[in-house]
Amino acid sequence: MRQISPLFLILIVFTCNTNREFTTAQKRSIVESVYASVVIQPDSLYEAYSIVSGILDQNLVEEGGLVKRNQKIIEIINNTPKLNAENSKLAYNLAVKNYKGSSAILNSIKDEIAAAELQCQNDSINYFRQANLWKQNIGSKTQYDSQKLKYQLSKNTLNLLKSKLTQTENELRTAVEQTQNTYKSTLSTSKDFTIKSNMDGKVYALYKEPGEIVSTREPLASIGSASNFIIEMLVDEVDIVKITLGQKVLMHLDAYGEKVFEAQASKIYPKKDERNQTFLVEAVFSNPPKKLYPGLSGEANIIIAKNENALTIPKSFLVNNNQVLTDNGLISVELGLENMEYVEIVSGLDESTTIYNKTE
């Protein structure tokens, strides 16, 4: 069998490689970043809901208007709580009148006790007089027993009336407390029909007009900071582990064309959005533009790392993710930073070695 000369093999490799695109590793600045879509939102933005149902009576503010914390912004109509509050107040007033009024139930019981005390006192005198006579063998046993029975009955009656007074007093006091609590509760419920702002800020949206039905499931207003805005970025789940707080963000907003804005990552939300397989990351402007509106969109690159003097090759020259094609065949290299065009070579290749594109 005829053997092929090693010189001939080198000539074949050389001949094939000369037909390919080739280059050498070069020193350049390389920046690795993570892409994210951007939406601008006011800081502390929230939607105001009603905790009761009814009809919107009036919006007390306008869209774009400034509001203060606890300022009334929306009023809702529902007569049921108002009627309940009035009925509760009537019940409370009646309970107070029964407990403390001049015609209170307690006064009648006290009158009965006063009469019973007089009767008991009189029966006591008659009983002890009859007892003394009986000791002297004066009078009959029947008279003595009769006076003794009357005295015991009057004492029992007096004790029962005193117990009745205590029990009735406790019941009336409890009734006053219960009706007072009910009245306070209905007053609190009636306040639920007035919606207030939770913060100093701006009204960005009002979703209902006067006369429309209000439910507890629909927002009525959108309120947020009037001056501070945050950058909401959606980061793909494969990149989220690269993100840390404080990383630099370079961003374009569609409303401002090619102008680049700088920001810093300020918050990473740990829950993944299963619908689009992304994580929410917030950033704050280093120098925000003069005008911002909720919903402005754009694109951002979160800077992961940067090397000013990195040995790099075009990413298109990589083979099998970690190899390059040279005159000596495929060799393995250790990779570092990378971006859309270039990848850093940490080891395995120098500037003198020619590498070839993997495609002919």
Side-chain angles (χ1 to χ4, degrees):
M1 180 177 180
R2 184 179 179 182
Q3 293 184 346
I4 299 176
S5 169
L7 180 61
F8 181 69
L9 287 175
I10 294 174
L11 181 61
I12 293 176
V13 171
F14 176 77
T15 302
C16 292
N17 285 343
T18 56
N19 293 328
R20 296 176 181 267
E21 179 185 3
F22 64 89
T23 187
T24 58
Q26 298 179 8
K27 294 288 184 68
R28 60 167 47 86
S29 174
I30 185 171
V31 176
E32 182 175 355
S33 62
V34 168
Y35 171 83
S37 60
V38 165
V39 175
I40 305 300
Q41 295 290 8
D43 191 16
S44 303
L45 183 70
Y46 79 97
E47 291 185 324
Y49 286 79
S50 173
I51 62 174
V52 292
S53 300
I55 298 174
L56 195 146
D57 184 27
Q58 57 180 331
N59 290 316
L60 304 176
V61 293
E62 295 182 354
E63 290 180 323
L66 299 178
V67 291
K68 293 291 185 181
R69 179 178 174 84
N70 290 325
Q71 179 180 337
K72 296 178 180 180
I73 58 175
I74 296 173
E75 286 189 347
I76 300 169
I77 297 174
N78 191 318
N79 290 327
T80 301
K82 183 177 180 181
L83 293 174
N84 289 339
E86 291 177 356
N87 291 334
S88 298
K89 185 177 181 180
L90 292 174
Y92 171 63
N93 290 338
L94 178 60
V96 171
K97 184 177 180 181
N98 289 336
Y99 182 49
K100 297 181 178 179
S102 58
S103 59
I105 298 173
L106 296 179
N107 288 338
S108 63
I109 300 176
K110 289 177 181 178
D111 290 340
E112 292 182 36
I113 290 175
E117 286 176 340
L118 290 176
Q119 182 64 47
C120 184
Q121 184 179 5
N122 184 63
D123 291 339
S124 173
I125 293 172
N126 292 332
Y127 165 66
F128 285 108
R129 182 186 299 119
Q130 190 64 43
N132 288 330
L133 292 175
W134 179 248
K135 288 180 182 179
Q136 300 173 26
N137 294 322
I138 301 174
S140 65
K141 182 71 165 54
T142 301
Q143 290 176 319
Y144 169 75
D145 290 340
S146 176
Q147 292 298 330
K148 181 179 180 181
L149 179 60
K150 288 178 62 177
Y151 175 52
Q152 288 177 337
L153 290 174
S154 60
K155 279 201 305 183
N156 292 340
T157 300
L158 179 59
N159 290 334
L160 287 173
L161 287 173
K162 288 181 178 179
S163 297
K164 180 181 178 181
L165 176 65
T166 300
Q167 180 179 352
T168 305
E169 188 174 16
N170 290 335
E171 291 175 352
L172 293 177
R173 186 188 303 110
T174 300
V176 170
E177 293 173 353
Q178 288 176 337
T179 54
Q180 184 181 37
N181 291 338
T182 302
Y183 179 48
K184 289 180 179 179
S185 176
T186 54
L187 286 179
S188 176
T189 302
S190 63
K191 292 179 182 178
D192 294 337
F193 289 82
T194 300
I195 299 176
K196 299 179 180 180
S197 173
N198 291 339
M199 60 180 294
D200 294 345
K202 178 185 285 189
V203 179
Y204 286 98
L206 294 171
Y207 301 119
K208 294 282 188 178
E209 295 294 333
E212 292 189 75
I213 296 175
V214 172
S215 74
T216 58
R217 299 185 300 273
E218 299 175 305
L220 300 182
S222 179
I223 300 173
S225 173
S227 56
N228 297 326
F229 287 80
I230 59 173
I231 305 159
E232 292 186 348
M233 303 181 294
L234 294 181
V235 177
D236 192 275
E237 65 174 323
V238 299
D239 295 321
I240 191 61
V241 294
K242 304 175 184 177
I243 307 301
T244 58
L245 298 181
Q247 286 176 330
K248 187 176 181 179
V249 178
L250 299 179
M251 172 179 50
H252 290 282
L253 292 176
D254 296 341
Y256 284 91
E258 295 301 317
K259 188 172 182 180
V260 178
F261 297 97
E262 291 188 8
Q264 285 187 325
S266 59
K267 187 174 183 178
I268 302 171
Y269 288 84
K271 181 174 175 56
K272 183 175 73 173
D273 188 336
E274 298 293 345
R275 295 170 298 178
N276 51 27
Q277 304 297 303
T278 60
F279 286 83
L280 175 62
V281 178
E282 288 184 359
V284 292
F285 283 100
S286 299
N287 187 20
K290 292 183 178 180
K291 288 186 178 181
L292 287 172
Y293 295 92
L296 290 181
S297 61
E299 297 178 323
N301 284 297
I302 306 171
I303 307 302
I304 305 303
K306 185 176 182 180
N307 189 341
E308 296 288 354
N309 192 32
L311 185 65
T312 66
I313 63 170
K315 291 184 70 173
S316 60
F317 279 73
L318 280 178
V319 180
N320 300 326
N321 295 324
N322 67 340
Q323 293 180 314
V324 292
L325 180 63
T326 69
D327 290 328
N328 296 323
L330 290 174
I331 62 173
S332 297
V333 293
E334 182 182 353
L335 305 180
L337 303 182
E338 63 178 281
N339 56 26
M340 296 296 292
E341 297 181 76
Y342 298 98
V343 60
E344 179 185 14
I345 303 299
V346 176
S347 64
L349 188 68
D350 56 34
E351 293 176 271
S352 63
T353 304
T354 301
I355 61 173
Y356 300 90
N357 198 317
K358 58 186 176 182
T359 57
E360 295 184 358

